[in-house]
Short mmCIF file of all heavy atoms in Angstrom, two decimals:
data_model
loop_
_atom_site.label_atom_id
_atom_site.label_comp_id
_atom_site.label_asym_id
_atom_site.label_seq_id
_atom_site.Cartn_x
_atom_site.Cartn_y
_atom_site.Cartn_z
N ARG M 1 123.95 -272.83 -132.80
CA ARG M 1 123.95 -273.69 -131.62
C ARG M 1 124.40 -272.97 -130.45
O ARG M 1 124.20 -273.47 -129.27
CB ARG M 1 124.92 -274.92 -131.91
CG ARG M 1 124.30 -275.96 -132.79
CD ARG M 1 125.32 -277.19 -132.91
NE ARG M 1 126.28 -276.98 -133.92
CZ ARG M 1 126.21 -277.10 -135.19
NH1 ARG M 1 125.02 -277.47 -135.74
NH2 ARG M 1 127.20 -276.86 -135.94
N LYS M 2 125.11 -271.87 -130.63
CA LYS M 2 125.54 -271.05 -129.48
C LYS M 2 124.45 -270.24 -128.76
O LYS M 2 124.68 -269.74 -127.63
CB LYS M 2 126.70 -270.07 -129.88
CG LYS M 2 127.90 -270.79 -130.30
CD LYS M 2 129.02 -269.91 -130.85
CE LYS M 2 130.22 -270.50 -131.47
NZ LYS M 2 131.19 -269.59 -132.06
N LEU M 3 123.33 -270.05 -129.51
CA LEU M 3 122.32 -269.19 -128.99
C LEU M 3 121.50 -270.02 -127.92
O LEU M 3 121.15 -271.18 -127.98
CB LEU M 3 121.32 -268.88 -130.10
CG LEU M 3 121.97 -267.97 -131.18
CD1 LEU M 3 120.90 -267.71 -132.22
CD2 LEU M 3 122.55 -266.78 -130.62
N ARG M 4 121.07 -269.23 -126.90
CA ARG M 4 120.08 -269.75 -125.99
C ARG M 4 118.70 -269.21 -126.24
O ARG M 4 118.44 -268.04 -125.98
CB ARG M 4 120.40 -269.34 -124.50
CG ARG M 4 121.79 -270.07 -123.98
CD ARG M 4 122.00 -269.87 -122.48
NE ARG M 4 123.02 -270.44 -122.06
CZ ARG M 4 123.94 -270.09 -121.14
NH1 ARG M 4 123.64 -268.97 -120.54
NH2 ARG M 4 124.97 -270.84 -120.74
N LEU M 5 117.95 -269.90 -126.92
CA LEU M 5 116.55 -269.41 -127.38
C LEU M 5 115.58 -269.63 -126.40
O LEU M 5 115.41 -270.67 -125.71
CB LEU M 5 116.26 -270.12 -128.72
CG LEU M 5 117.27 -269.90 -129.84
CD1 LEU M 5 116.91 -270.77 -131.00
CD2 LEU M 5 117.36 -268.49 -130.24
N LYS M 6 114.71 -268.56 -126.25
CA LYS M 6 113.58 -268.68 -125.20
C LYS M 6 112.22 -268.69 -125.84
O LYS M 6 111.32 -269.25 -125.21
CB LYS M 6 113.63 -267.31 -124.37
CG LYS M 6 114.88 -267.18 -123.54
CD LYS M 6 114.90 -266.03 -122.68
CE LYS M 6 116.16 -265.97 -121.91
NZ LYS M 6 116.15 -264.83 -121.00
N CYS M 7 112.03 -268.23 -126.99
CA CYS M 7 110.69 -268.22 -127.67
C CYS M 7 110.39 -269.81 -128.05
O CYS M 7 111.19 -270.53 -128.32
CB CYS M 7 110.72 -267.40 -128.94
SG CYS M 7 110.97 -265.67 -128.58
N ASN M 8 109.04 -270.00 -128.05
CA ASN M 8 108.59 -271.32 -128.42
C ASN M 8 107.72 -271.50 -129.62
O ASN M 8 107.36 -272.49 -129.88
CB ASN M 8 107.66 -271.74 -127.14
CG ASN M 8 108.60 -271.99 -125.87
OD1 ASN M 8 109.67 -272.57 -125.98
ND2 ASN M 8 108.05 -271.58 -124.83
N HIS M 9 107.40 -270.39 -130.24
CA HIS M 9 106.45 -270.32 -131.26
C HIS M 9 107.10 -269.78 -132.45
O HIS M 9 108.33 -269.67 -132.59
CB HIS M 9 105.17 -269.61 -130.94
CG HIS M 9 104.47 -270.14 -129.69
ND1 HIS M 9 103.79 -271.37 -129.61
CD2 HIS M 9 104.48 -269.68 -128.47
CE1 HIS M 9 103.37 -271.67 -128.49
NE2 HIS M 9 103.77 -270.67 -127.69
N PHE M 10 106.36 -269.24 -133.43
CA PHE M 10 106.91 -268.59 -134.59
C PHE M 10 107.81 -267.44 -134.37
O PHE M 10 108.59 -267.09 -135.21
CB PHE M 10 105.81 -268.19 -135.60
CG PHE M 10 105.11 -269.46 -136.24
CD1 PHE M 10 103.74 -269.79 -135.96
CD2 PHE M 10 105.80 -270.27 -137.11
CE1 PHE M 10 103.24 -270.84 -136.41
CE2 PHE M 10 105.24 -271.39 -137.63
CZ PHE M 10 103.90 -271.60 -137.35
N ASP M 11 107.69 -266.82 -133.09
CA ASP M 11 108.53 -265.63 -132.94
C ASP M 11 109.94 -266.07 -132.69
O ASP M 11 110.81 -265.14 -132.58
CB ASP M 11 108.01 -264.99 -131.70
CG ASP M 11 107.71 -265.65 -130.39
OD1 ASP M 11 107.74 -266.97 -130.60
OD2 ASP M 11 107.45 -265.11 -129.38
N ILE M 12 110.29 -267.20 -132.75
CA ILE M 12 111.68 -267.82 -132.53
C ILE M 12 112.46 -267.27 -133.76
O ILE M 12 113.61 -267.11 -133.64
CB ILE M 12 111.76 -269.34 -132.41
CG1 ILE M 12 113.01 -269.63 -131.71
CG2 ILE M 12 111.48 -270.00 -133.75
CD1 ILE M 12 113.20 -271.02 -131.29
N VAL M 13 111.73 -267.17 -134.91
CA VAL M 13 112.48 -266.71 -136.23
C VAL M 13 113.03 -265.25 -135.97
O VAL M 13 114.29 -264.98 -136.21
CB VAL M 13 111.48 -266.61 -137.40
CG1 VAL M 13 112.10 -265.89 -138.53
CG2 VAL M 13 110.99 -267.92 -137.67
N GLU M 14 112.26 -264.29 -135.34
CA GLU M 14 112.77 -262.98 -135.05
C GLU M 14 113.75 -263.04 -133.94
O GLU M 14 114.78 -262.26 -133.88
CB GLU M 14 111.58 -262.12 -134.69
CG GLU M 14 110.58 -261.88 -135.85
CD GLU M 14 109.58 -262.71 -135.95
OE1 GLU M 14 109.38 -263.77 -135.27
OE2 GLU M 14 108.65 -262.54 -136.86
N GLU M 15 113.63 -263.90 -132.89
CA GLU M 15 114.52 -264.01 -131.81
C GLU M 15 115.96 -264.32 -132.34
O GLU M 15 116.98 -263.82 -131.95
CB GLU M 15 114.05 -265.02 -130.72
CG GLU M 15 115.10 -265.19 -129.54
CD GLU M 15 114.77 -266.33 -128.65
OE1 GLU M 15 113.70 -266.95 -128.78
OE2 GLU M 15 115.48 -266.44 -127.74
N ILE M 16 116.05 -265.39 -133.16
CA ILE M 16 117.20 -265.77 -133.84
C ILE M 16 117.93 -264.60 -134.53
O ILE M 16 119.15 -264.35 -134.33
CB ILE M 16 117.16 -266.95 -134.81
CG1 ILE M 16 116.62 -268.18 -134.05
CG2 ILE M 16 118.27 -267.10 -135.68
CD1 ILE M 16 116.10 -269.29 -135.07
N LEU M 17 117.22 -263.77 -135.34
CA LEU M 17 117.81 -262.62 -135.96
C LEU M 17 118.26 -261.61 -134.94
O LEU M 17 119.51 -261.09 -135.06
CB LEU M 17 116.71 -261.91 -136.86
CG LEU M 17 116.30 -262.61 -138.08
CD1 LEU M 17 115.20 -261.94 -138.80
CD2 LEU M 17 117.57 -262.71 -139.05
N VAL M 18 117.51 -261.34 -134.03
CA VAL M 18 117.90 -260.29 -132.95
C VAL M 18 119.20 -260.76 -132.27
O VAL M 18 119.99 -260.07 -132.03
CB VAL M 18 116.80 -260.15 -131.96
CG1 VAL M 18 117.27 -259.25 -130.57
CG2 VAL M 18 115.58 -259.42 -132.54
N LYS M 19 119.26 -262.00 -131.77
CA LYS M 19 120.39 -262.46 -131.09
C LYS M 19 121.57 -262.44 -132.03
O LYS M 19 122.71 -262.12 -131.39
CB LYS M 19 120.11 -263.73 -130.42
CG LYS M 19 119.20 -263.61 -129.23
CD LYS M 19 119.06 -264.80 -128.30
CE LYS M 19 118.23 -264.52 -127.11
NZ LYS M 19 118.03 -265.65 -126.21
N LEU M 20 121.50 -263.03 -133.11
CA LEU M 20 122.63 -263.13 -134.07
C LEU M 20 123.28 -261.72 -134.29
O LEU M 20 124.45 -261.46 -134.32
CB LEU M 20 122.33 -263.82 -135.25
CG LEU M 20 122.17 -265.37 -135.27
CD1 LEU M 20 121.74 -265.86 -136.50
CD2 LEU M 20 123.46 -266.08 -134.70
N ILE M 21 122.34 -260.74 -134.64
CA ILE M 21 122.79 -259.43 -134.96
C ILE M 21 123.33 -258.70 -133.71
O ILE M 21 124.28 -257.92 -133.77
CB ILE M 21 121.70 -258.73 -135.61
CG1 ILE M 21 121.38 -259.23 -136.97
CG2 ILE M 21 121.99 -257.22 -135.69
CD1 ILE M 21 120.15 -258.66 -137.64
N THR M 22 122.69 -258.97 -132.56
CA THR M 22 123.17 -258.27 -131.34
C THR M 22 124.56 -258.86 -130.82
O THR M 22 125.43 -258.09 -130.49
CB THR M 22 122.10 -258.42 -130.26
OG1 THR M 22 120.90 -257.91 -130.77
CG2 THR M 22 122.59 -257.63 -128.99
N LEU M 23 124.68 -260.14 -130.90
CA LEU M 23 125.92 -260.88 -130.46
C LEU M 23 127.09 -260.67 -131.42
O LEU M 23 128.30 -260.79 -131.06
CB LEU M 23 125.60 -262.21 -130.04
CG LEU M 23 124.63 -262.43 -128.96
CD1 LEU M 23 124.32 -263.96 -128.85
CD2 LEU M 23 125.26 -262.04 -127.66
N HIS M 24 126.80 -260.51 -132.73
CA HIS M 24 127.82 -260.52 -133.84
C HIS M 24 127.40 -259.23 -134.59
O HIS M 24 126.75 -259.39 -135.64
CB HIS M 24 127.76 -261.74 -134.72
CG HIS M 24 127.75 -263.01 -133.91
ND1 HIS M 24 128.93 -263.53 -133.39
CD2 HIS M 24 126.85 -263.92 -133.51
CE1 HIS M 24 128.68 -264.68 -132.72
NE2 HIS M 24 127.37 -264.98 -132.84
N PRO M 25 127.95 -258.14 -134.15
CA PRO M 25 127.53 -256.82 -134.92
C PRO M 25 127.69 -256.79 -136.34
O PRO M 25 126.91 -256.26 -137.04
CB PRO M 25 128.28 -255.75 -134.21
CG PRO M 25 128.68 -256.39 -132.87
CD PRO M 25 128.73 -257.80 -133.11
N GLY M 26 128.68 -257.55 -136.95
CA GLY M 26 128.84 -257.49 -138.38
C GLY M 26 128.16 -258.57 -139.14
O GLY M 26 128.36 -258.87 -140.26
N TYR M 27 127.21 -259.34 -138.36
CA TYR M 27 126.55 -260.55 -138.97
C TYR M 27 125.78 -260.10 -140.24
O TYR M 27 124.97 -259.10 -140.30
CB TYR M 27 125.61 -260.99 -137.97
CG TYR M 27 125.23 -262.51 -138.23
CD1 TYR M 27 126.15 -263.49 -137.84
CD2 TYR M 27 124.24 -262.90 -139.03
CE1 TYR M 27 125.87 -264.90 -137.97
CE2 TYR M 27 123.92 -264.31 -139.24
CZ TYR M 27 124.80 -265.27 -138.71
OH TYR M 27 124.56 -266.50 -138.93
N ARG M 28 126.08 -260.74 -141.20
CA ARG M 28 125.42 -260.45 -142.56
C ARG M 28 124.17 -261.34 -142.77
O ARG M 28 124.26 -262.65 -142.55
CB ARG M 28 126.41 -260.64 -143.74
CG ARG M 28 127.44 -259.64 -143.70
CD ARG M 28 128.30 -259.85 -144.97
NE ARG M 28 128.27 -261.22 -145.47
CZ ARG M 28 129.12 -261.76 -146.35
NH1 ARG M 28 130.14 -260.97 -146.69
NH2 ARG M 28 129.02 -262.94 -146.76
N ILE M 29 123.11 -260.85 -143.39
CA ILE M 29 122.05 -261.65 -143.77
C ILE M 29 121.80 -261.51 -145.25
O ILE M 29 121.80 -260.50 -145.82
CB ILE M 29 120.72 -261.10 -143.03
CG1 ILE M 29 120.78 -261.22 -141.57
CG2 ILE M 29 119.55 -261.85 -143.55
CD1 ILE M 29 119.86 -260.58 -140.71
N LYS M 30 121.78 -262.66 -145.90
CA LYS M 30 121.51 -262.66 -147.35
C LYS M 30 120.14 -263.22 -147.60
O LYS M 30 119.86 -264.22 -147.17
CB LYS M 30 122.62 -263.55 -148.10
CG LYS M 30 122.35 -263.91 -149.51
CD LYS M 30 122.68 -262.64 -150.35
CE LYS M 30 122.44 -263.09 -151.75
NZ LYS M 30 121.88 -262.01 -152.68
N GLU M 31 119.27 -262.40 -148.23
CA GLU M 31 117.89 -262.87 -148.42
C GLU M 31 117.71 -263.18 -149.88
O GLU M 31 118.09 -262.51 -150.75
CB GLU M 31 116.97 -261.74 -148.02
CG GLU M 31 116.98 -261.37 -146.51
CD GLU M 31 116.03 -260.36 -146.25
OE1 GLU M 31 116.35 -259.12 -146.36
OE2 GLU M 31 114.85 -260.77 -145.75
N VAL M 32 116.90 -264.29 -150.09
CA VAL M 32 116.49 -264.70 -151.38
C VAL M 32 114.99 -264.52 -151.41
O VAL M 32 114.22 -265.20 -150.73
CB VAL M 32 116.88 -266.14 -151.69
CG1 VAL M 32 116.43 -266.52 -153.05
CG2 VAL M 32 118.37 -266.34 -151.54
N PRO M 33 114.54 -263.45 -152.26
CA PRO M 33 113.14 -263.21 -152.23
C PRO M 33 112.23 -264.34 -152.70
O PRO M 33 112.64 -265.16 -153.69
CB PRO M 33 112.98 -262.01 -152.97
CG PRO M 33 114.29 -261.75 -153.74
CD PRO M 33 115.24 -262.61 -153.09
N PHE M 34 111.05 -264.59 -152.25
CA PHE M 34 110.08 -265.38 -152.75
C PHE M 34 108.77 -264.81 -152.48
O PHE M 34 108.58 -263.84 -151.71
CB PHE M 34 110.21 -266.82 -152.18
CG PHE M 34 109.84 -266.94 -150.71
CD1 PHE M 34 108.51 -267.36 -150.34
CD2 PHE M 34 110.60 -266.72 -149.65
CE1 PHE M 34 108.13 -267.43 -149.13
CE2 PHE M 34 110.39 -266.79 -148.34
CZ PHE M 34 109.10 -267.15 -148.11
N PHE M 35 107.68 -265.28 -153.18
CA PHE M 35 106.46 -264.56 -153.17
C PHE M 35 105.36 -265.66 -152.76
O PHE M 35 105.39 -266.69 -153.19
CB PHE M 35 106.10 -263.84 -154.49
CG PHE M 35 107.14 -262.94 -154.82
CD1 PHE M 35 108.21 -263.30 -155.70
CD2 PHE M 35 107.00 -261.63 -154.44
CE1 PHE M 35 109.09 -262.33 -156.05
CE2 PHE M 35 107.92 -260.62 -154.75
CZ PHE M 35 109.07 -261.01 -155.61
N PHE M 36 104.46 -265.11 -151.89
CA PHE M 36 103.18 -265.98 -151.56
C PHE M 36 102.26 -265.74 -152.62
O PHE M 36 102.06 -264.77 -153.07
CB PHE M 36 102.73 -265.64 -150.23
CG PHE M 36 103.55 -266.08 -149.00
CD1 PHE M 36 104.45 -265.08 -148.40
CD2 PHE M 36 103.69 -267.33 -148.57
CE1 PHE M 36 105.26 -265.49 -147.42
CE2 PHE M 36 104.42 -267.70 -147.53
CZ PHE M 36 105.20 -266.71 -146.91
N GLU M 37 101.51 -266.85 -152.95
CA GLU M 37 100.34 -266.68 -153.86
C GLU M 37 99.12 -266.38 -153.03
O GLU M 37 99.09 -266.81 -151.87
CB GLU M 37 100.24 -267.91 -154.73
CG GLU M 37 101.37 -268.14 -155.84
CD GLU M 37 101.13 -269.23 -156.60
OE1 GLU M 37 99.99 -269.78 -156.77
OE2 GLU M 37 102.08 -269.73 -157.33
N LYS M 38 98.24 -265.86 -153.74
CA LYS M 38 97.00 -265.61 -153.06
C LYS M 38 96.21 -266.97 -152.76
O LYS M 38 96.27 -267.79 -153.65
CB LYS M 38 96.00 -264.67 -154.10
CG LYS M 38 94.79 -264.23 -153.26
CD LYS M 38 93.97 -263.22 -154.18
CE LYS M 38 92.77 -262.68 -153.47
NZ LYS M 38 92.05 -261.81 -154.20
N ARG M 39 95.54 -267.04 -151.66
CA ARG M 39 94.90 -268.16 -151.26
C ARG M 39 93.83 -268.50 -152.36
O ARG M 39 93.03 -267.69 -152.92
CB ARG M 39 94.13 -267.98 -150.04
CG ARG M 39 93.37 -269.09 -149.49
CD ARG M 39 92.58 -268.65 -148.32
NE ARG M 39 93.42 -268.32 -147.13
CZ ARG M 39 93.71 -268.97 -146.16
NH1 ARG M 39 93.28 -270.19 -146.09
NH2 ARG M 39 94.50 -268.45 -145.16
N LYS M 40 93.86 -269.78 -152.87
CA LYS M 40 92.90 -270.24 -153.95
C LYS M 40 91.55 -270.70 -153.40
O LYS M 40 90.63 -270.64 -154.08
CB LYS M 40 93.50 -271.35 -154.71
CG LYS M 40 94.73 -270.73 -155.53
CD LYS M 40 95.38 -271.87 -156.35
CE LYS M 40 96.44 -271.40 -157.23
NZ LYS M 40 97.51 -270.91 -157.26
N ALA M 41 91.51 -271.11 -152.19
CA ALA M 41 90.31 -271.61 -151.56
C ALA M 41 90.25 -271.33 -150.18
O ALA M 41 91.22 -271.19 -149.42
CB ALA M 41 90.18 -273.15 -151.85
N GLY M 42 88.93 -271.26 -149.61
CA GLY M 42 88.83 -271.03 -148.14
C GLY M 42 89.05 -269.60 -147.74
O GLY M 42 89.49 -268.72 -148.52
N LYS M 43 88.81 -269.30 -146.46
CA LYS M 43 89.05 -268.12 -145.77
C LYS M 43 90.03 -268.19 -144.73
O LYS M 43 90.05 -269.26 -143.97
CB LYS M 43 87.77 -267.48 -145.23
CG LYS M 43 86.76 -266.98 -146.28
CD LYS M 43 85.54 -266.46 -145.63
CE LYS M 43 84.81 -265.52 -146.61
NZ LYS M 43 83.72 -264.82 -145.85
N THR M 44 90.71 -267.17 -144.36
CA THR M 44 91.68 -267.17 -143.20
C THR M 44 90.72 -267.25 -141.96
O THR M 44 89.80 -266.70 -141.91
CB THR M 44 92.64 -265.97 -143.24
OG1 THR M 44 93.51 -265.99 -142.11
CG2 THR M 44 91.78 -264.60 -143.12
N LYS M 45 91.38 -267.85 -141.02
CA LYS M 45 90.70 -267.94 -139.63
C LYS M 45 91.39 -267.01 -138.72
O LYS M 45 91.15 -266.85 -137.50
CB LYS M 45 90.89 -269.41 -139.03
CG LYS M 45 89.99 -270.27 -140.05
CD LYS M 45 90.37 -271.81 -139.58
CE LYS M 45 89.66 -272.77 -140.35
NZ LYS M 45 90.31 -272.80 -141.56
N ARG M 46 92.45 -266.20 -139.27
CA ARG M 46 93.18 -265.27 -138.47
C ARG M 46 92.37 -263.91 -138.16
O ARG M 46 91.86 -263.41 -139.06
CB ARG M 46 94.36 -264.95 -139.18
CG ARG M 46 95.32 -263.99 -138.41
CD ARG M 46 96.66 -263.73 -139.10
NE ARG M 46 97.41 -264.96 -139.01
CZ ARG M 46 98.41 -265.24 -139.77
NH1 ARG M 46 98.89 -264.40 -140.60
NH2 ARG M 46 99.12 -266.31 -139.71
N ASN M 47 92.34 -263.61 -136.94
CA ASN M 47 91.69 -262.37 -136.50
C ASN M 47 92.64 -261.27 -136.53
O ASN M 47 93.79 -261.38 -135.88
CB ASN M 47 91.06 -262.55 -135.12
CG ASN M 47 90.42 -261.28 -134.54
OD1 ASN M 47 91.05 -260.26 -134.45
ND2 ASN M 47 89.00 -261.32 -134.31
N LEU M 48 92.52 -260.22 -137.13
CA LEU M 48 93.39 -259.08 -137.37
C LEU M 48 93.86 -258.50 -135.94
O LEU M 48 95.09 -258.34 -135.75
CB LEU M 48 92.93 -257.96 -138.28
CG LEU M 48 93.93 -256.84 -138.72
CD1 LEU M 48 95.19 -257.43 -139.27
CD2 LEU M 48 93.33 -255.81 -139.51
#
C-alpha cells in the first residue's frame, strides 16, 4: 500500500519487486516453485 505504482500492465509485477527491494534493502522474497504445462491445444498468438 505504501508503493506508488506507475505500470499499468503485466510489468507491474516487476515494478513491485524493484520498488520493494530498492526501498527496503533487506526485503526477503520467498518463492514457491510451480510449473507450467505445455499447451494442449491451439497455437500461441505471441510474436517473439
